[in-house]
Amino acid sequence: MSATATIQDTRLCLNGRLDLDSVPYFSKPGHNPLTDAVTELDLSGLSHCDSAGVALLLQWVSEAQGQGRSLSLVAVPAKVKALFELYDIEFLTLA
């Protein structure tokens, strides 16, 4: 696995490479780090994010919205913002 996730108060901090190799780990039962207390995803520690990583972020935002809460992305690296623009999902960078 090339990505890690840690929770600091209400912030889920992602580090490393969020890609096709690491995303399946977070999809396994018991490995989803998203808890009810999390309101922000801090992406400042990502060194790489591909389309699989973006799909996971979208899934987490959707899960939170389905539970009636919002999930904001913070400290989004420029390369990840470029992917959001490419996929026309810039609304994810609201925070």
Side-chain angles (χ1 to χ4, degrees), residues 18-91:
L18 193 59
D19 57 20
L20 190 58
D21 292 329
S22 62
V23 165
Y25 172 82
F26 294 115
S27 300
K28 291 181 183 178
H31 292 210
N32 183 341
L34 194 62
T35 67
D36 291 344
V38 173
T39 60
E40 295 178 330
L41 294 177
D42 184 339
L43 306 184
S44 63
L46 288 182
S47 60
H48 176 77
C49 182
D50 66 10
S51 59
V54 170
L56 179 65
L57 296 174
L58 282 170
Q59 177 185 333
W60 285 349
V61 168
S62 178
E63 283 178 25
Q65 289 175 341
Q67 297 169 356
R69 48 191 189 89
S70 64
L71 189 61
S72 301
L73 302 184
V74 297
V76 180
K79 289 183 180 181
V80 177
K81 282 184 184 180
L83 278 178
F84 291 165
E85 291 172 8
L86 177 68
Y87 298 133
D88 196 25
I89 51 176
E90 297 99 321
F91 66 90

